Structure formats: structure tokens, C-alpha cells
Amino acid sequence: MRRVSRIAVASVATAALAVTVSACGGSSSSSSAGDGKSKGIGLAYDVGGKGDQSFNDAAFSGLKKAEKDLGVSGRDIEPQDGESTADKVQRLEQLAKSGYNPIIGVGFVYAPAVKQVAAKYPKVTFGIIDDETVQAKNVADLVFHEEQASYLAGVAAAKATKKNHIGFIGGVDIPLIHKFEAGYIQGAKSVNPKIKIESQYLTQTAEEGGFSSPDKGENATNGQIDAGADVIYHAAGLSGQGVIKAAADHKVWAIGVDSDQYEQSALAKYKDSILTSALKNVQGAVYDLAKSVIKDGKPQTGVIRGSLDNGGVSLADSNPAFKDDADLQAALKKAEQGIKDGSIKVNAS
């Protein structure tokens, strides 16, 4: 059964996630809703749903901030197991018919549904996170340079390892997650070209649970640790909770993703094993789109990409062991400057 939840309790958000993402796209001056008004922001979650302490929870934090700052209501809807595009279409249409504007699909899997429903409701603004294939006047493609934050994560891992042996675990073997892997490997090798790197994807498709199975993440991490890795970076959504648990059990470092996982209450007992997290400002992207529609009356449209330059991606520094490591911080500062000035070209695949 589909679970429909009204917004109740705010997920933990970090200062790093509060940075506004600069827009590379344009704006539309059209009416923000069918009757010129918006009931609030609608959010449709990706695989794993709310409570993943990562990607979906970052989107939820953006919704909560919009509710508070813009004085509107919000509605978020959970995904179903094994759902079809038709299910997603129905979910987005439900939000549009109820008067929500903007409506955001959290994840690239919403691309076909957003394309279909946006055409049917041209006066409603739709957003889609992690996809830029939907080109329409009323659609904002909210995307990020994940490889840039991952490069910094790789630098951090190479500096933190005691064995010159690190690991990467991706949730699903798809181009989006390849960006995380590519940046991470390049960053690590910039510190030590001979570093050994384990790399593994949990599943070939999202339907197999790569983003929603902590047990798969835990098992894969145990395998990489057994092979000798002592720093593991994950880009695996809810499955990443298993990665972090396994790292804590073996007293090695984990690097989180999307949200500052050191600060997530559900992961508090593992926090001392979370070195840092590669942040993606999903919260800011959701909030900015809502503000553009509800307050500014000039909805964002087109491709809006978060980068190191505009604060859309970054590394969290909540863990004192990370923040107070002068050598590591100096290496990160040099790497970040190189990416920003173009002297370092980060691989995206």
C-alpha cells in the first residue's frame, strides 16, 4: 500500500546543506499555478523513501525549510516497492490536482513521469533531482557535480588510510553513481597514485534493492574490509547505513554521502567512524525551487547545477577528527582550489 505522509518532524539538516545552489537555468514569469496560487510544495520520494539519512532526507529538509520560511504547507509521498512509471505518474498527478506547486520528483527514476505530467499541467512547475533529460518550459532539472565532492572524498580517504587501501561502494551500477566512483578514485590517486582501491556495486538495477538494502551494504563493506580496505566511501542511499555500521563494527572509517551523516540521529552510535560526507545540496535545490514559485513568482526552469563554486556540493566537517587534521585540510584546500580554478579537471565517468 502506498504510504502518504503529512510533514511532521524535521530531518536533521546541516549548515553545509543550507547553502543556496546557484542557477544555471532560466526563469519563467508565468503563473505559478492553475489559479495563480499554490497550496504548497509536493514531494515524491525516490527508492528508499524518507528515513534514509541521506538523499531523500535532504529533500525533506528542503521541504521543511520551505514550509517554515514561506508559510505554506507541504505534502510528501512515499514510493512503493516495485512500482511502475504509471504509479509515479499517478502520484504526480495527485499532487497537481490537489493544488501543490512546485512538485518535485526526488530522483532520476521520475524522468518519464515528470515529462508526461508536466505536459498535462503546463501552469505547474515541476522539478526533478538528478536528471536533465526532461526539457520543458515548466521543468527545472536539479543536478549536481557529484564527481567534484567525490574527488575531495578521495583525497580525504587517501590521507586517512593507514594501509594505503580504500574502498568504494555504489548502490546501483548506473552512470549517475559512476560519477561518484570516478571522482573518488581520481582524488585518491592524486594523493597516492599507487593506492589500492576496492570498488563494488550492490546491484545492476534499483529494483534489486541497491539503494534500499542496508544488509547488502553491510555485507559488501565487510568484504572490502576483509580484503584490507580501511576507509570506505558509499554512494548507496539507504544501503549506506549498512556500510557505516560495518565500518563502525570493524573500527575503520566510513565516508557518507548527500547529507552530513555524522549528524544524523539514526546513525549517532556510529558517528565516531564517519570521517566526513560528500554533500549534495538537495535541501537547497528543493527550497530554492519552492521559493522561486511561491514567493518570487518567477519559477526556475532549465538545468540548475550545484558545484563547488556555488556551494551545491562540498565535504562536511562535523567530525573533529576530520576538521582538526591540519595535513588533511591543507590537501583538501589545495584540491578544492584546483577544481575551482580549472587546473584540476575531475572525471565524471
Side-chain angles (χ1 to χ4, degrees), residues 218-239:
E218 183 174 0
N219 290 337
T221 303
N222 284 334
Q224 292 197 354
I225 293 170
D226 287 345
D230 63 354
V231 185
I232 314 291
Y233 172 43
H234 84 86
L238 183 64
S239 300

Side-chain angles (χ1 to χ4, degrees), residues 44-66:
Y45 289 118
D46 194 2
V47 175
K50 189 166 63 180
D52 64 355
Q53 312 300 319
S54 184
F55 182 68
N56 289 295
D57 281 0
F60 174 70
S61 294
L63 187 151
K64 286 302 296 181
K65 179 174 171 60

Side-chain angles (χ1 to χ4, degrees), residues 55 92 103-115 125-135 138-144 285 289 302 304:
F55 182 68
L92 298 180
I103 297 167
I104 301 174
V106 186
F108 66 91
V109 293
Y110 276 93
V114 167
K115 182 177 182 179
T125 296
F126 292 83
I128 181 166
I129 299 172
D130 284 350
D131 180 86
E132 55 183 301
T133 65
V134 183
Q135 304 295 319
N138 61 326
V139 175
D141 300 300
L142 310 174
V143 293
F144 301 86
L289 181 59
I304 301 164

Side-chain angles (χ1 to χ4, degrees), residues 67-344:
E67 282 192 310
K68 180 180 178 181
D69 292 359
L70 305 178
V72 296
S73 64
R75 187 178 183 184
D76 61 336
I77 305 181
E78 297 281 3
Q80 299 180 87
D81 292 334
E83 67 181 21
S84 65
T85 294
D87 293 316
K88 294 180 176 64
V89 167
Q90 183 182 37
R91 182 176 304 134
L92 298 180
E93 287 190 339
Q94 176 186 348
L95 290 168
K97 289 175 182 177
S98 298
Y100 290 95
N101 186 17
I103 297 167
I104 301 174
V106 186
F108 66 91
V109 293
Y110 276 93
V114 167
K115 182 177 182 179
Q116 182 176 332
V117 181
K120 189 173 181 179
Y121 295 90
K123 292 186 178 180
V124 175
T125 296
F126 292 83
I128 181 166
I129 299 172
D130 284 350
D131 180 86
E132 55 183 301
T133 65
V134 183
Q135 304 295 319
K137 292 182 178 180
N138 61 326
V139 175
D141 300 300
L142 310 174
V143 293
F144 301 86
H145 279 298
E146 294 92 350
E147 72 279 5
Q148 294 182 350
S150 296
Y151 183 101
L152 299 183
V155 170
K159 283 290 185 179
T161 180
K162 296 177 180 178
K163 299 181 178 180
N164 291 319
H165 193 167
I166 62 176
F168 171 80
I169 292 176
V172 181
D173 190 357
I174 53 175
L176 173 64
I177 307 303
H178 297 169
K179 293 172 68 179
F180 290 88
E181 180 187 22
Y184 180 66
I185 291 173
Q186 185 183 357
K189 288 188 173 182
S190 74
V191 175
N192 177 6
K194 296 182 179 180
I195 194 168
K196 187 172 182 179
I197 304 173
E198 305 290 333
S199 188
Q200 181 176 349
Y201 288 88
L202 300 180
T203 63
Q204 294 299 304
T205 66
E207 290 75 17
E208 296 171 279
F211 291 131
S212 56
S213 304
D215 59 323
K216 293 182 188 296
E218 183 174 0
N219 290 337
T221 303
N222 284 334
Q224 292 197 354
I225 293 170
D226 287 345
D230 63 354
V231 185
I232 314 291
Y233 172 43
H234 84 86
L238 183 64
S239 300
Q241 294 189 23
V243 175
I244 291 168
K245 177 183 182 300
D249 288 346
H250 291 274
K251 301 187 184 307
V252 302
W253 286 119
I255 296 178
V257 77
D258 292 341
S259 295
D260 184 353
Q261 299 198 297
Y262 181 89
E263 295 287 0
Q264 297 295 319
S265 57
L267 299 172
K269 61 184 176 180
Y270 308 127
K271 65 189 299 181
D272 289 341
S273 293
I274 303 173
L275 179 66
T276 181
S277 297
L279 302 177
K280 187 160 70 172
N281 193 8
V282 175
Q283 180 200 21
V286 168
Y287 175 79
D288 286 351
L289 181 59
K291 179 176 178 292
S292 76
V293 173
I294 296 167
K295 183 176 180 180
D296 301 338
K298 295 182 178 180
Q300 292 179 335
T301 60
V303 176
I304 301 164
R305 190 180 303 277
S307 66
L308 282 178
D309 265 334
N310 59 37
V313 300
S314 59
L315 279 191
D317 64 358
S318 300
N319 189 335
F322 171 84
K323 187 176 183 179
D324 297 340
D325 187 325
D327 181 55
L328 188 157
Q329 291 299 321
L332 289 172
K333 183 177 181 180
K334 181 179 179 180
E336 182 171 352
Q337 183 57 45
I339 294 171
K340 287 181 176 180
D341 67 24
S343 61
I344 295 174

